[in-house]
């Protein structure tokens, strides 16, 4: 670049500064504060002076409620992959067939994903009301007995129920991504496989699935990060209850921070949440995403 | 459904239809998927046309007769309009700030050659990894105490825009990179400045990408819950907060809650569905580039 020099530097600065300023003030600074906060006992008033070292971490990691919260997050991460991935793939392959009203079908499948999590939560809360709700009504109608305390009020059932609602909400994203990926598979490949005598399902599994690799990996990443941060749906459906059966790391830290004013504890929980997300993202990057870049080059 | 039955069905239908076309089984599964997907949404919309007494008698029934009172109640509720105004204003500010700052940052990252280009881009990529929940408590303190913009539109919109920036930059950069160099050179030859090129060339040509990130930011803000929950109270609340609070405060009025909920979800739904093709196209462009 011969035009370079100070003028170019000034231009770059002019274009990049607003974004960097915004990131610095509202992303980097708060995260740095969370880290700092995690080393102090602080109730939110007065100067932050009572340095306690790692004691907040000790308390958070020793707290059964937090450990359960981590476990719940991990259950949601794993269950999402085990359930939503095959289901999403199957539906995407189905909708990729030449059937009537295909466009409409695709739009419909995507509707729950576009709704606010809170709104979906409020509707499901009504559906799941003990006794008066539609779900209990259907269960009674087929001759079974719905749980006494309702699906969301029974500790053993609350987390699985939450997961079903989350699957309803987020399956559309998986389907949309996989459909986009499937459309990138050239027709000639299907035709060649068909000439070799492969059936429809065989062509899907042997031809389309391997080519979907990058798309599936993108979805895995989004799903994982989303599951680790889960807050809205839990807050609306159960508030973390009953008896902390559905707490997540995010509901734990919000509870500690805004309702109990244990800012140090909330800070430590934030840092743990960040570290878990970061380690998983890093592991993902090293183990999975790398293959994409290597094969592309 | 077991696998072999499916396969046999496949075998028998294959000869009659072109390859890849769906048989009755395909339509059946599609129907089940649609019913499960739409069922809860329809229940909400229909429930809004029923009375609480109807809902209690037969939770899954159709309106009999159809009542407009619940929806009229929502439209006649000044709180609803206030929440809608707040949601709109916050979403518009978030979108404008995120897209403006995002495209400005993406421009040099795509079209300039300088030493720090890739490291700078990595800053935005890393930004994708920071979940908003991690920063939420300090963000609450920063916005309410240090900046004193706690219960305001800007207090929510600015942090939201900041958290949307990374994805905006990551999506937009390939769009800007894909614009042919010849156009830029021709403009330079005609005496245009780099800022002029940005304004007259880059912005119009990257419009599909801009629309994509704008719709994503708008819908994201419209649906947001956590940050508004911490920062907004009373008259400043947005629709998701309004819906959640309304449903706890009027828990006995199920029909009213369902009407409120249904109306609150319509704007984001309409916007997204109207833009669906462009968003999918836009995302594909970003992935390809």
């Amino acid at each position: 670049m011969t035009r370079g020099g100070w003028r170019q530097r000034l231009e770059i600065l002019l274009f990049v500064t607003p974004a960097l300023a915004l990131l610095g003030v509202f992303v980097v600074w708060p995260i740095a504060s969370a880290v700092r906060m995690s080393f102090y006992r602080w109730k939110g008033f007065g100067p932050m002076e009572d340095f306690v070292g790692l004691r907040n971490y000790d308390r958070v990691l020793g707290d059964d409620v937090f450990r359960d919260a981590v476990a719940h997050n991990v259950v949601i991460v794993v269950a999402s992959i085990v359930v939503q991935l095959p289901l999403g793939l199957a539906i995407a392959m189905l909708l990729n067939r030449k059937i009537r009203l295909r466009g409409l079908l695709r739009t419909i499948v995507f509707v729950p994903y576009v709704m606010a999590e809170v709104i979906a939560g409020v509707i499901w809360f009504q559906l799941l009301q003990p006794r008066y709700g539609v779900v209990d009504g259907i269960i009674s109608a087929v001759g079974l007995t719905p749980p006494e305390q309702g699906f969301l009020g029974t500790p053993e059932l609350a987390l699985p129920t939450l997961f079903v609602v989350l699957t309803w909400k987020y399956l559309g994203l998986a389907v949309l991504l996989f459909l986009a990926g499937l459309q990138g598979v050239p027709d000639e490949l299907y035709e060649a496989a068909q000439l070799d005598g492969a059936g429809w399902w065989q062509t899907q599994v042997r031809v389309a699935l391997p080519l979907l690799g990058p798309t599936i990996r993108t979805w895995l990443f989004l799903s994982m990060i989303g599951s680790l941060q889960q807050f809205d749906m839990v807050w609306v459906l159960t508030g973390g209850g009953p008896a902390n059966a559905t707490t997540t790391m995010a509901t734990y830290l919000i509870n500690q921070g805004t309702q109990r004013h244990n800012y140090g504890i909330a800070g430590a929980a934030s840092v743990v949440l960040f570290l878990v997300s970061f380690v998983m993202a890093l592991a993902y990057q090293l183990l999975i995403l790398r293959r994409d870049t290597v094969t592309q080059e | 459904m077991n696998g072999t039955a499916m396969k046999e069905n496949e075998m028998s239908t294959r000869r009659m239809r072109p390859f890849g076309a769906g048989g009755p089984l395909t339509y059946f599964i599609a129907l089940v998927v649609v019913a499960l997907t739409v069922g809860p949404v329809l229940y909400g919309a229909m429930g809004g046309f029923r009375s609480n007494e109807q809902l209690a008698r037969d939770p899954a029934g159709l309106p009999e007769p159809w009542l407009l009172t619940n929806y009229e109640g929502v439209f006649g509720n000044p709180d609803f309009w206030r929440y809608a105004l707040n949601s709109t204003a916050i979403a518009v500010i978030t979108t404008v700030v995120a897209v403006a700052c995002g495209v400005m940052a993406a421009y040099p990252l795509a079209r300039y050659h300088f030493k720090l280009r890739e490291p700078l881009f990595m800053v935005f990529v890393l930004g994708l990894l920071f979940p908003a929940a991690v920063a939420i408590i300090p963000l609450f303190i920063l916005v309410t105490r240090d900046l004193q913009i706690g219960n305001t539109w800007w207090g929510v919109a600015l942090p939201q825009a900041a958290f949307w920036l990374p994805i905006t930059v990551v999506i937009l950069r390939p769009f800007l990179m894909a614009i042919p160099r010849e156009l830029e050179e021709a403009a330079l030859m005609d005496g245009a400045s780099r800022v002029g090129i940005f304004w007259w060339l880059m912005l119009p040509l990257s419009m599909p990408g801009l629309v994509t990130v704008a719709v994503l930011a708008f819908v994201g803000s419209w649906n947001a819950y956590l940050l508004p929950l911490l920062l907004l109270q009373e008259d400043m609340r947005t629709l998701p907060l309004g819906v959640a609070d309304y449903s706890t405060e009027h828990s006995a009025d199920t029909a009213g809650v369902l009407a409120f909920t249904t109306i609150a979800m319509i704007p984001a739904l309409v916007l997204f569905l109207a833009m669906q093709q462009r968003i999918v196209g836009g995302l594909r462009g970003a992935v390809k580039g």
Side-chain angles (χ1 to χ4, degrees), chain A residues 66-90:
Chain A
F66 185 74
R67 287 198 214 171
D68 286 349
V70 177
H72 298 153
N73 279 114
V74 172
V75 167
I76 296 173
V77 169
V78 173
S80 299
I81 294 169
V82 173
V83 175
Q84 292 173 14
L85 181 59
L87 214 54
L89 279 171

Side-chain angles (χ1 to χ4, degrees), chain B residues 12 52 85 130 279:
Chain B
S12 58
N52 287 312
L85 173 69
F130 289 99
I279 290 171

